[in-house]
């Protein structure tokens, strides 16, 4: 139920013209173009009466019909409107009681982080430092009003000329809680989710966003995530049970990221400490070490739109290659891998949440269960994580 951005950008870049079925206005805003769409709604570029450009998100009808969702959406919008900071896109207006609830935020022109890596490759030291400190400050501004982002990923980071902007912090929790109530499924993008999001989603705190920030920084310098697997299920398993792959991340960033990626939330640094650590990052020098898989390119397809599809969501993250050797992936996947599903598209990339929590011991039972149901290795449906 993520907002899925069009290939040219969620909020920035070239917009798509309105179609015959799109409204002309939402609230007091005249719609100009369609910026993106997804399982939860549609994002439009709009203009206020004063000429100010905004991004208006309109919720799909099926959510609008659910009163519980409306209540949560109303609460989260109220909290998000209190968020202000240099590195967030502020909420300017909203109507949770409209026939189809909507929210207007400041329009920020610029590519997403995933698009930036696709176009120009991984970040250099100065760019990385600006990104890291900007994200940490944005999380501070979000957390201090009681909001947990829950979906910090490359598609939700805009690379403006004067620093990054974190978007979609106002509705993540409303949608997540709605999904848990109605379907019992965990929502997220596995390469950038925390272990607790995957195994204990009702216990998620701001420490989960710190974990996601760590994965984003690895992605920013390598074009790959630290837990990439050959399917969303394997990626999710590695997030919960395996150490991160950081062989291509140079010090001092590596030491900071290792702390952010601690499995236990209490072992991760708080935002204030994290800002102090990130402030020590140099603005010059190498940020990428000569690790395994570094010859596979720097960004490009592995880090951009095409690569993201193997992780379960187009354009949102790293590709299939994680820098790990095939033998290591095979060893880690032994006893838990149920087959490639449908491959890069990741549409069969979900598994049972209980299987993730039990670890490798659950896999033989899962295979026997699938044989009884007549599901072959290539047809297994893994239900733990619905990749967005």
């Amino acid at each position: 139920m993520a907002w899925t951005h069009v290939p040219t950008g969620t909020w920035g870049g070239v917009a798509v013209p309105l179609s015959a079925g799109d409204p002309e206005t939402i609230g007091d805003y005249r719609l100009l173009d369609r910026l993106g769409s997804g399982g939860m709604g549609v994002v439009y570029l709009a203009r206020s009466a004063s000429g100010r450009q905004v991004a208006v998100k309109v919720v799909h009808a099926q959510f609008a019909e659910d009163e519980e969702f409306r209540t949560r959406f109303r609460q989260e919008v109220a909290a998000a409107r209190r968020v202000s900071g240099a590195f967030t896109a502020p909420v300017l207006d909203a109507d949770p009681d409209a026939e189809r609830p909507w929210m207007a935020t400041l329009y920020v022109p610029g590519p997403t982080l995933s698009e930036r890596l696709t176009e120009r490759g991984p970040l250099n030291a100065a760019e990385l430092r600006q990104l890291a400190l900007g994200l940490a400050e944005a999380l501070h501004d979000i957390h201090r009003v009681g909001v947990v982002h829950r979906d910090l990923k490359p598609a939700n980071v805009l690379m403006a000329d004067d620093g990054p902007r974190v978007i979609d912090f106002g509705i993540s929790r409303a949608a997540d809680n709605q999904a848990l109530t109605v379907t019992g499924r965990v929502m997220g993008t596995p390469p950038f989710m925390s272990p607790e999001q995957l195994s204990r989603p009702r216990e998620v705190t701001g420490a989960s966003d710190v974990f996601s920030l760590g994965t984003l920084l690895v992605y920013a310098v390598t074009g790959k995530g630290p837990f990439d697997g050959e399917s969303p299920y394997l990626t999710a398993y590695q997030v919960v049970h395996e150490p991160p792959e950081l062989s291509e991340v140079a010090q001092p960033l590596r030491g900071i990221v290792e702390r952010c990626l601690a499995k236990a939330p209490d072992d991760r640094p708080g935002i204030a400490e994290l800002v102090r650590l990130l402030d020590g990052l140099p603005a010059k020098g190498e940020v990428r070490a000569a690790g395994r898989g570094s010859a596979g390119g720097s960004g490009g397809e592995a880090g951009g739109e095409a690569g993201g599809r193997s992780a379960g969501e187009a354009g949102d993250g790293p590709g299939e290659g994680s820098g790990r050797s095939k033998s290591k992936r095979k060893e880690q996947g032994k006893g838990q891998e149920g087959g490639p599903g449908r491959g890069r598209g990741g549409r069969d990339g979900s598994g049972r949440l209980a299987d993730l929590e039990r670890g490798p011991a659950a896999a033989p039972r899962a295979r026997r269960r699938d044989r009884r149901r007549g599901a072959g290795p290539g047809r297994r449906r893994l239900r733990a994580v619905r990749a967005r």
Side-chain angles (χ1 to χ4, degrees):
M1 297 185 182
W3 297 95
T4 303
H5 71 285
V6 293
T8 51
T10 307
W11 296 13
V14 181
V16 177
L18 298 176
S19 65
D22 290 320
E24 293 183 359
T25 61
I26 294 292
D28 295 328
Y29 303 95
R30 177 164 296 280
L31 304 188
L32 304 176
D33 291 298
R34 180 189 285 243
L35 292 174
S37 63
M40 189 177 168
V42 182
V43 187
Y44 296 100
L45 175 63
R47 180 182 292 121
S48 69
S50 65
R52 189 180 199 181
Q53 286 191 325
V54 299
V56 178
K57 303 184 178 186
V58 184
V59 172
H60 281 320
Q62 66 264 32
F63 292 100
E65 295 170 359
D66 187 277
E67 282 304 317
E68 183 178 358
F69 173 83
R70 280 183 178 272
T71 299
R72 296 186 189 280
F73 184 81
R74 189 178 298 110
Q75 293 170 346
E76 292 302 317
V77 166
R81 294 181 77 163
R82 299 197 301 270
V83 175
S84 62
F87 299 107
T88 59
V91 176
L92 305 175
D93 198 1
D95 188 355
D97 299 313
E99 181 178 355
R100 288 177 60 185
W102 57 269
M103 178 172 66
T105 58
L106 181 67
Y107 173 72
V108 180
T112 65
L113 177 59
S114 56
E115 292 165 347
R116 161 61 182 80
L117 263 67
T118 298
E119 296 166 1
R120 298 168 53 190
L123 306 187
N124 61 34
E127 293 169 326
L128 173 70
R129 190 176 189 277
Q130 182 184 49
L131 173 70
L133 287 169
L135 293 179
E137 184 173 326
L139 290 183
H140 173 266
D141 293 331
I142 294 169
H143 292 173
R144 69 179 176 180
V145 297
V147 176
V148 178
H149 194 293
R150 294 178 177 241
D151 199 19
L152 191 63
K153 60 185 179 181
N156 282 339
V157 176
L158 297 176
M159 303 296 284
D161 291 340
D162 58 347
R165 298 293 188 279
V166 174
I167 61 174
D168 276 4
F169 52 81
I171 58 173
S172 299
R173 189 164 187 168
D176 199 11
N177 287 343
Q178 160 77 359
L180 286 168
T181 300
V182 175
T183 68
R185 297 184 186 275
V186 180
M187 312 308 295
T189 309
F192 305 101
M193 293 173 73
S194 67
E196 59 267 29
Q197 278 184 285
L198 293 162
S199 59
R200 305 179 304 280
R202 294 189 183 276
E203 300 177 17
V204 169
T205 66
S208 177
D209 289 341
V210 172
F211 188 96
S212 298
L213 187 151
T215 66
L216 274 182
L217 296 182
V218 175
Y219 170 74
V221 300
T222 68
K224 297 169 286 191
F227 300 101
D228 281 6
E230 294 176 344
S231 72
Y233 173 74
L234 287 180
T235 298
Y237 176 87
Q238 289 171 178
V239 168
V240 175
H241 296 290
E242 299 292 338
E245 171 53 63
L246 302 177
S247 63
E248 295 182 49
V249 182
Q251 296 288 3
L253 177 62
R254 178 169 177 168
I256 300 172
V257 166
E258 284 175 338
R259 292 194 58 195
C260 292
L261 299 180
K263 302 299 185 188
D266 291 344
D267 292 338
R268 300 168 201 156
I271 295 296
E273 181 184 4
L274 183 59
V275 169
R276 290 195 297 271
L277 293 171
L278 295 173
D279 192 44
L281 290 175
K284 296 181 180 180
E286 293 296 326
V287 294
R288 189 174 184 184
R292 289 166 291 183
S294 59
S298 56
E301 183 178 2
E305 306 299 331
R309 294 186 181 93
S310 70
E313 181 171 349
D316 279 349
E320 294 182 21
S322 63
R324 306 181 188 199
S325 66
K326 291 184 178 179
S327 60
K328 183 172 182 179
R329 287 199 302 267
K330 182 176 180 181
E331 178 181 352
Q332 290 177 340
K334 187 177 181 181
Q336 80 233 14
E337 185 173 0
R342 294 184 185 174
R344 288 175 65 89
R347 295 185 181 273
D348 285 347
S350 54
R352 292 193 182 279
L353 187 59
D355 288 351
L356 276 178
E357 293 171 335
R358 287 193 293 265
R365 288 192 293 273
R367 286 197 294 270
R368 291 195 296 271
R369 179 183 67 225
D370 287 345
R371 283 198 294 269
R372 289 196 301 270
R373 295 178 181 176
R379 296 175 61 85
R380 165 178 283 181
R381 295 193 63 85
L382 302 166
R383 301 178 182 84
V385 180
R386 294 285 296 178
R388 298 213 260 186

